[in-house]
Amino acid sequence: MENVKTLGEFIIDKQQDFPGSSGEFSKLLSAIRLASKIVSNKVNKAGLLSYIVGAAGSENIQGEAQQKLDVYANNQFIKALTARKVVCGIASEENDEYIPINNEGSYIVAMDPLDGSSNIDVNVSIGTIFSIYKRVSPVGSDLTEADFLQKGTEQLAAGYVIYGSSTMLVYTTGKGVNGFTYDPGIGVFVLSHPEMKFPTNGKIYSMNEGNFYRSSNGVQEYIKYSQTIDADTNRPYTARYIGSLVADFHRNLIKGGIYMYPSTDNAPNGKLRLLYECNPLAFIAEQAGGAASDGKQRIMEIDPTDLHQRAPYFTGNTHMVEKVESLIASEG
Ligand code: P6P
């Protein structure tokens, strides 16, 4: 294990990036690290533990059947974050209302504890997505919804955990993006992908093309653009869609590409949730030299009005996001 930096060491090294934080922020990231290990352990056994796999018999606010692993992951992250006493409240995809934790805490967490959970039973990679803010209400007071309805530009940190062929934790605190791979043999995340950046040119596009005719003309034009043969601009692009946001985003971050979940005629605001899917991945995308948009504006500039609001979403290489934005703009 010579010359290997663990996530724990990395968090401590970077602590000076948070002047005035007496290690509170490090405690928060350590709680996420712990819960990620616990969830990874269960996800990797999902097929074996019949009590884990399959629907929990309940539904989340979106009316989606909650998988038992959803509920398990949600509980593990809430428990770990509560134990560290630095978090004042949590907004989770799995909870209709925000969860007050500790009025003395300074930090807000918005999370999708297990995104893509419909893929659990078919053994496809799934992920956790998290976003961290400073509360806006005074420490010691009761939380208000305003503490959660902050623009993505106010994020202190954001990241995701991908439970795939290996488990990785990728996060940013606004000073670049770093990826850590979990070594279950010794129970530590080790720095495996320092200073992650999108490759200069992306040529992968990720979208559920079943929505092609439900999408706007600009989006349809972009799909056709991606499929057009033009050697000078590396086209046709390659279509890759896993149907698990974290997996599609992570592949595009490493190989270059764009992920799109546009507005459709049956879902005018798209499917993805602004607070705990779009904004955290947008922070990472921008820190990695990419972009994230709702098709018309920088996604992190959107002023949220609801915990679970959705937004059309385009994220990845800047040249690809800008191209689809220009085609949407020319729709008139
Ligand atoms: P569709 C999973 O439910 C999710 O939120 C993302 O992880 C994924 O990219 C998307 O929805 C898939 O949605 O409509 O293509 O099945």
Side-chain angles (χ1 to χ4, degrees):
M1 290 291 286
E2 69 288 340
N3 303 327
V4 163
K5 175 156 288 198
T6 67
L7 176 56
E9 291 161 338
F10 189 87
I11 290 171
I12 290 166
D13 286 354
K14 298 294 178 184
Q15 189 160 297
Q16 76 273 359
D17 292 345
F18 296 91
S21 155
S22 55
E24 287 180 335
F25 192 72
S26 301
K27 281 183 197 163
L28 202 173
L29 287 175
S30 299
I32 290 174
R33 175 181 52 156
L34 172 63
S36 302
K37 292 180 186 179
I38 294 169
V39 171
S40 174
N41 178 266
K42 279 291 183 290
V43 165
N44 291 336
K45 296 188 185 109
L48 301 173
L49 308 173
S50 56
Y51 72 95
I52 283 273
V53 172
S58 55
E59 283 188 349
N60 64 17
I61 188 171
Q62 328 298 338
E64 295 163 343
Q66 284 185 309
Q67 299 289 326
K68 286 177 184 173
L69 211 45
D70 273 339
V71 177
Y72 178 83
N74 198 40
N75 293 339
Q76 292 307 317
F77 277 92
I78 291 170
K79 199 160 69 173
L81 290 166
T82 301
R84 302 297 167 101
K85 308 221 183 299
V86 295
V87 171
C88 54
I90 297 172
S92 168
E93 183 197 53
E94 300 305 330
N95 297 78
D96 301 356
E97 306 300 328
Y98 62 80
I99 308 158
I101 300 289
N102 172 8
N103 281 352
E104 297 309 315
S106 304
Y107 298 98
I108 293 284
V109 175
M111 67 176 183
D112 184 350
L114 207 60
D115 179 78
S117 52
S118 56
N119 293 301
I120 293 171
D121 293 355
V122 294
N123 214 358
V124 164
S125 301
I126 50 185
T128 298
I129 311 171
F130 63 89
S131 187
I132 300 170
Y133 294 83
K134 199 86 170 177
R135 68 185 297 176
V136 292
S137 55
V139 172
S141 67
D142 288 344
L143 273 184
T144 67
E145 196 167 48
D147 285 307
F148 295 90
L149 301 180
Q150 300 185 53
K151 283 184 178 182
T153 49
E154 297 303 308
Q155 292 175 96
L156 283 180
Y160 61 86
V161 186
I162 178 166
Y163 310 100
S165 46
S166 65
T167 292
M168 274 193 73
L169 190 153
V170 177
Y171 82 100
T172 182
T173 58
K175 296 182 187 313
V177 178
N178 290 283
F180 300 80
T181 299
Y182 185 51
D183 180 341
I186 50 174
V188 295
F189 280 100
V190 294
L191 180 62
S192 53
H193 296 65
E195 290 308 312
M196 297 178 82
K197 292 283 183 192
F198 281 99
T200 309
N201 292 305
K203 64 167 289 181
I204 293 172
Y205 70 100
S206 308
M207 177 178 146
N208 181 344
E209 291 189 59
N211 291 326
F212 181 85
Y213 290 105
R214 287 178 163 159
S215 301
S216 70
N217 291 336
V219 171
Q220 291 185 20
E221 285 308 308
Y222 186 74
I223 297 291
K224 290 181 220 168
Y225 171 84
S226 301
Q227 294 168 344
T228 302
I229 298 169
D230 176 52
D232 292 345
T233 53
N234 250 338
R235 291 179 290 147
Y237 292 159
T238 297
R240 287 284 184 276
Y241 190 68
I242 300 171
S244 184
L245 169 62
V246 171
D248 279 313
F249 181 89
H250 184 70
R251 185 219 36 253
N252 290 348
L253 173 56
I254 292 175
K255 292 185 177 288
I258 184 171
Y259 172 95
M260 299 178 279
Y261 209 106
S263 163
T264 59
D265 53 18
N266 60 331
N269 290 319
K271 177 179 184 182
L272 301 187
R273 282 68 123 194
L274 177 64
L275 256 61
Y276 42 77
E277 291 175 334
C278 301
N279 274 336
L281 296 183
F283 193 10
I284 289 187
E286 293 194 3
Q287 285 289 311
S293 160
D294 67 355
K296 297 186 168 64
Q297 66 179 315
R298 187 182 175 208
I299 202 93
M300 292 203 287
E301 287 293 353
I302 295 177
D303 246 328
T305 54
D306 179 83
L307 285 186
H308 301 285
Q309 78 184 69
R310 301 172 191 267
Y313 198 45
F314 304 83
T315 186
N317 282 83
T318 303
H319 72 91
M320 302 178 92
V321 173
E322 287 175 347
K323 179 64 182 175
V324 69
E325 284 179 326
S326 68
L327 291 170
I328 290 171
S330 59
E331 286 170 355

